[in-house]
């Protein structure tokens, strides 16, 4: 079955270390997205990519980096410059059918920095 | 003011009750999403709708594009329905989603 795979589900890192979150999709979707969720807040957009080798900053891109070397993969690196990295991270992808835009979501990665 | 607002923020119901969660949005949209987030954090897409009504099992979603309002209904609620329900609206271009802050539902047996 097609879908989005995020790994790992839980991740612990020491403060000051970079960490990379994986997001893979086998849906042949062109666009992929990374969101961050904090308690009591809605999901906020970190980065998104509409085609391979291209990506744009979202609303809270500082301290994060991404790459889109393959259509099916959109890894997110949380750098040591991110001041408060502990959060739940969600990856999504989108296909386009006429005027309807369908999104598929991963199951998320909960990052805890200690 | 958020572009997507949900109400209520928290909802407690007894098993079997009919539940309604509301979503109002100010952005122009092509379709609206209802999502379900369980305590473990994973998010499941429940509905994407651009007009009228959709039904899946005990879940019903409606949308009124002119009034920029959508509702999610749960009939005969069950404790396993306990989750956070989130509505999300794409921008007109569909490039990004704007999310509501979610409605935390607890259904008691």
């Amino acid at each position: 079955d097609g879908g989005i795979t995020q790994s790992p589900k839980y991740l612990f890192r020491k403060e000051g270390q970079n960490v990379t979150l994986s997001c893979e999709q086998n849906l042949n979707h062109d666009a992929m997205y990374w969101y961050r969720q904090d308690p009591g807040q809605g999901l906020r957009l970190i980065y998104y990519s509409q085609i391979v080798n291209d990506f744009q900053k979202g609303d809270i891109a500082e301290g994060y980096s991404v790459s889109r070397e393959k259509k099916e993969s959109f890894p997110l690196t949380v750098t040591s410059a991110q001041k408060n990295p502990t959060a739940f991270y969600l990856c999504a992808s989108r296909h386009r059918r006429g005027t309807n835009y369908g999104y598929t979501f991963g199951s998320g990665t909960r990052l805890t920095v200690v | 003011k958020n572009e997507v607002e949900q109400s209520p923020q928290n909802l407690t119901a007894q098993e079997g009750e009919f539940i309604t969660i509301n979503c109002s949005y100010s952005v122009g949209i092509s379709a609206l999403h209802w999502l379900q987030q369980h305590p473990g954090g994973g998010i499941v897409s429940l509905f994407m709708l651009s007009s009228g009504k959709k039904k899946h099992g005990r879940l019903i979603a409606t949308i009124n594009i002119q009034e920029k309002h959508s509702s999610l209904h749960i009939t005969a609620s069950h404790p396993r329905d306990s989750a956070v329900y989130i509505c999300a609206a794409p921008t007109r271009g569909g490039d990004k989603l704007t999310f509501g802050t979610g409605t935390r539902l607890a259904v008691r047996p």
Side-chain angles (χ1 to χ4, degrees), chain B residues 12 20 36 39 43 46-48 61 65 67 71 79 81 84 91 99 103 108:
Chain B
T12 301
T20 296
Q36 181 189 55
I43 289 181
L46 298 175
F47 296 103
M48 182 185 74
I65 294 291
E67 294 185 4
S71 294
D81 296 326
V84 176
T91 59
F99 293 83
T103 294
R108 295 181 175 171

Side-chain angles (χ1 to χ4, degrees), chain A residues 3-4 6 9 35-38 41-44 88-93 103-110, chain B residues 6 33-47 83-88 97 99-102:
Chain A
I4 293 182
Q6 286 188 244
K9 188 173 177 65
Y35 295 93
R36 169 181 170 137
Q37 185 180 41
D38 294 284
Q41 297 191 37
L43 290 152
R44 294 180 290 168
F88 180 71
Y89 293 87
L90 185 73
C91 179
S93 67
Y103 289 78
T104 300
F105 297 88
S107 57
T109 293
R110 191 167 299 277
Chain B
Q6 292 183 234
H33 294 255
W34 281 102
L35 314 171
Q36 181 189 55
Q37 184 173 32
H38 279 281
I43 289 181
V44 175
S45 180
L46 298 175
F47 296 103
V84 176
Y85 293 85
I86 302 169
C87 67
L97 283 176
F99 293 83
T101 54

Side-chain angles (χ1 to χ4, degrees), chain A residues 25-82:
Chain A
Q25 54 99 358
N26 60 2
L27 300 162
N28 200 33
H29 286 179
D30 292 307
M32 297 186 73
Y33 305 81
W34 273 106
Y35 295 93
R36 169 181 170 137
Q37 185 180 41
D38 294 284
Q41 297 191 37
L43 290 152
R44 294 180 290 168
L45 181 63
I46 305 172
Y47 268 99
Y48 65 107
S49 167
Q50 294 181 308
I51 57 172
V52 175
N53 293 322
D54 186 47
F55 48 83
Q56 290 79 41
K57 292 182 179 180
D59 301 319
I60 55 166
E62 185 176 352
Y64 299 98
S65 66
V66 294
S67 63
R68 188 84 187 278
E69 297 176 0
K70 299 185 296 182
K71 187 175 186 178
E72 55 271 19
S73 179
F74 191 40
L76 173 74
T77 297
V78 184
T79 75
S80 56
Q82 168 51 233

Side-chain angles (χ1 to χ4, degrees), chain B residues 3-76:
Chain B
E3 293 179 314
V4 178
E5 292 197 340
Q6 292 183 234
S7 63
Q9 288 188 337
N10 294 282
L11 183 57
T12 301
Q14 284 298 125
E15 184 173 356
E17 287 185 358
F18 181 84
I19 290 164
T20 296
I21 299 170
N22 295 301
C23 178
S24 297
Y25 53 91
S26 58
V27 295
I29 67 167
S30 55
L32 184 129
H33 294 255
W34 281 102
L35 314 171
Q36 181 189 55
Q37 184 173 32
H38 279 281
I43 289 181
V44 175
S45 180
L46 298 175
F47 296 103
M48 182 185 74
L49 68 164
S50 55
S51 65
K53 179 169 75 173
K54 285 191 175 181
K55 184 176 187 291
H56 182 70
R58 294 179 294 103
L59 301 178
I60 302 168
T62 64
I63 190 168
N64 185 318
I65 294 291
Q66 287 73 30
E67 294 185 4
K68 296 187 176 180
H69 181 269
S70 177
S71 294
L72 177 68
H73 306 284
I74 305 175
T75 61

